[in-house]
Amino acid sequence: MGRAPALLSQFLSLSTTAAPHFRASMTCRLNPRKYLNGTAKIPPIRENLRCLCSVAVSEPATSEPSSTPVKKRVVSGVQPTGSIHLGNYLGAIKNWIDLQITLPYDTQQLSKATKETAAIYLACGVDPSKASVFVQSHVRAHVELMWLLSSTTPIGWLNRMIQFKEKSLKAGDENVGVALLTYPVLMASDILLYQSDYVPVGDDQKQHLELTRELAQRVNYLYGGRKWKKLGGRGGAIFKVPEPLIPPTGARVMSLTDGLSKMSKSAPSDQSRINLLDPKDVVNNKIKRCKTDSFPGLEFDNSERPECNNLLSIYQLVTGKTKQEVAEECRDMNWGTFKPVLTDALIAHLHPIQVCYGEIMSDASYLDSVLAEGARKAADVADNTLKNVYQAMGFLR
């Protein structure tokens, strides 16, 4: 009771930032005829593209010398189910990966959880004056574009998606909805609607971004250029082909019970993660009980000590110290000495977030206004893209 099989909704942020200092080069050199029959191979994302959370140095928009940074658009999303934990904050809030709710969820809790998720992100520092923060279901263009993109997406491309294979195998055919198969198309819609320049993406979402890029190329070839111009459009590309922002390795936070597994909202044991709203005594208890090892001293990057590397990385990230500083500080510590230090650092780091979260949640009108204004700004951009797609595909409007 109160469970729904699928939902096409998520919490999104649309922001602008100065262009990263690398020259993104992922030009697709494929035979255009292959786009017609869906046989084109999805181009891989280059592993050497890396971008830290703070991106600054930019390239001028024209050949004229200019000191003004070129603003680039970044679109990110997160599912509003489960508790937001330390891994989301340190790795994903600054480098969001696009996630959808395509598995069962509690209908009674979804609305409340969506607002709580938005409040947490605002409390963590997402600035609504710089980013349009909104709920996906408040912008109808998402599902409209998804339907249009679905008509040009070969089923073979979706059948190759690893996440679908793994989740459907685990849950069984009777428990998996069509939304799980088609959600990469919705994700592509989320990104392409906003003519996004960059998308923060983790290892588990690389394949979905590759599909997004391929769909953009396919639609541009099938309906863009002179074909679109003959229908009264501006011609040229309909969609920008987005580039990936791959989070730095150090921002990947692992489970407290298994240093080889990613910290996850879906893990059955709450002991495996630090939730951003965990009170002091809970944080203290989780660090006391977290998995460690029997090696002397503490060190980074020892493959035989994944838990040690993870806990040191967490300490580094919440204190803002360099890796070298942490290595020197903790080299001769034992676990009995280090765990209280880590606990104090975590509590000190989370406290202002928790205070700010409480203030935001106590002012419902403020949160509602942020989401409403974010949806309005997002819709302005999304509706223009959708209009162009309808026109280019020959729909009577």
Side-chain angles (χ1 to χ4, degrees):
M1 182 176 181
R3 305 285 286 185
L7 178 75
L8 304 182
S9 182
Q10 63 175 15
F11 173 70
L12 292 164
S13 173
L14 182 66
S15 61
T16 55
T17 183
H21 59 270
F22 59 76
R23 288 180 178 270
S25 177
M26 296 178 63
T27 303
C28 186
R29 297 185 179 87
L30 303 179
N31 182 347
R33 293 187 178 277
K34 292 184 179 180
Y35 287 108
L36 294 173
N37 56 25
T39 59
K41 183 179 179 182
I42 297 176
I45 290 176
R46 284 173 42 186
E47 293 292 340
N48 65 328
L49 288 183
R50 292 290 186 272
C51 182
L52 299 178
C53 303
S54 299
V55 289
V57 183
S58 61
E59 298 173 8
T62 67
S63 59
E64 296 296 324
S66 174
S67 59
T68 304
V70 177
K71 293 296 183 180
K72 299 292 185 178
R73 183 172 289 149
V74 179
V75 63
S76 310
V78 64
Q79 60 182 0
T81 52
S83 300
I84 302 298
H85 56 69
L86 195 67
N88 300 136
Y89 171 61
L90 296 177
I93 290 182
K94 295 178 181 177
N95 298 280
W96 284 6
I97 60 176
D98 196 272
L99 299 173
Q100 320 290 330
I101 307 173
T102 50
L103 296 175
Y105 66 95
D106 189 332
T107 57
Q108 302 299 318
Q109 293 295 317
L110 182 63
S111 179
K112 179 174 178 286
T114 299
K115 288 190 175 183
E116 289 173 346
T117 301
I120 287 178
Y121 277 78
L122 293 173
C124 288
V126 175
D127 186 347
S129 70
K130 297 179 180 178
S132 298
V133 181
F134 62 102
V135 179
Q136 181 202 57
S137 56
H138 292 176
V139 181
R140 60 182 177 81
H142 287 261
V143 290
E144 289 191 53
L145 182 59
M146 179 199 178
W147 178 250
L148 295 173
L149 292 179
S150 295
S151 69
T152 65
T153 306
I155 189 67
W157 289 7
L158 299 180
N159 285 333
R160 290 200 297 267
M161 296 293 102
I162 295 173
Q163 280 199 346
F164 170 73
K165 290 180 180 179
E166 292 177 346
K167 290 182 179 180
S168 59
L169 183 64
K170 183 178 180 180
D173 290 344
E174 294 301 316
N175 298 313
V176 173
V178 174
L180 183 61
L181 175 66
T182 60
Y183 109 78
V185 184
L186 179 61
M187 174 182 168
S189 170
D190 297 336
I191 296 168
L192 298 178
L193 266 177
Y194 300 103
Q195 303 296 341
S196 311
D197 295 287
Y198 300 104
V199 181
V201 61
D203 290 339
D204 58 346
Q205 293 290 320
K206 282 182 185 178
Q207 193 180 36
H208 293 160
L209 182 57
E210 291 167 0
L211 178 69
T212 297
R213 289 171 46 78
E214 184 71 7
L215 277 175
Q217 295 274 6
R218 182 177 174 86
V219 171
N220 286 344
Y221 175 74
L222 291 174
Y223 303 107
R226 293 181 179 178
K227 299 172 187 175
W228 182 19
K229 199 164 187 177
K230 287 180 180 179
L231 293 172
R234 71 166 188 269
I238 300 169
F239 295 125
K240 279 188 178 181
V241 181
E243 303 288 351
L245 291 185
I246 302 174
T249 303
R252 186 179 176 89
V253 180
M254 313 306 283
S255 168
L256 297 180
T257 56
D258 179 5
L260 296 176
S261 299
K262 186 178 176 182
M263 188 176 285
S264 172
K265 289 192 287 186
S266 61
S269 174
D270 192 59
Q271 175 64 32
S272 67
R273 55 187 169 266
I274 299 290
N275 302 308
L276 293 193
L277 300 181
D278 279 345
K280 295 178 182 180
D281 60 327
V282 173
V283 173
N284 183 54
N285 183 56
K286 287 181 177 180
I287 296 300
K288 275 186 177 179
R289 297 175 58 193
C290 70
K291 184 178 179 181
T292 55
D293 56 46
S294 57
F295 288 85
L298 303 179
E299 60 185 331
F300 283 104
D301 302 326
N302 184 335
S303 60
E304 296 182 4
R305 307 185 68 184
E307 288 77 22
C308 182
N309 185 74
N310 183 44
L311 294 176
L312 287 176
S313 295
I314 291 174
Y315 180 63
Q316 176 194 344
L317 290 166
V318 298
T319 59
K321 297 180 180 180
T322 66
K323 187 174 182 178
Q324 183 177 352
E325 288 172 339
V326 172
E328 292 175 357
E329 176 187 352
C330 304
R331 180 173 50 214
D332 298 322
M333 287 186 180
N334 56 37
W335 291 115
T337 304
F338 176 68
K339 283 188 174 183
V341 173
L342 175 58
T343 298
D344 290 344
L346 280 168
I347 291 172
H349 193 83
L350 295 179
H351 178 69
I353 295 174
Q354 294 172 352
V355 171
C356 188
Y357 169 81
E359 294 174 351
I360 293 171
M361 287 300 293
S362 67
D363 188 351
S365 61
Y366 167 73
L367 186 56
D368 289 343
S369 67
V370 168
L371 295 178
E373 179 64 11
R376 185 191 66 76
K377 290 180 179 178
D380 287 343
V381 180
D383 289 346
N384 186 62
T385 298
L386 188 63
K387 180 188 70 174
N388 289 338
V389 176
Y390 273 124
Q391 182 185 50
M393 293 182 72
F395 282 80
L396 178 65
R397 299 288 286 172

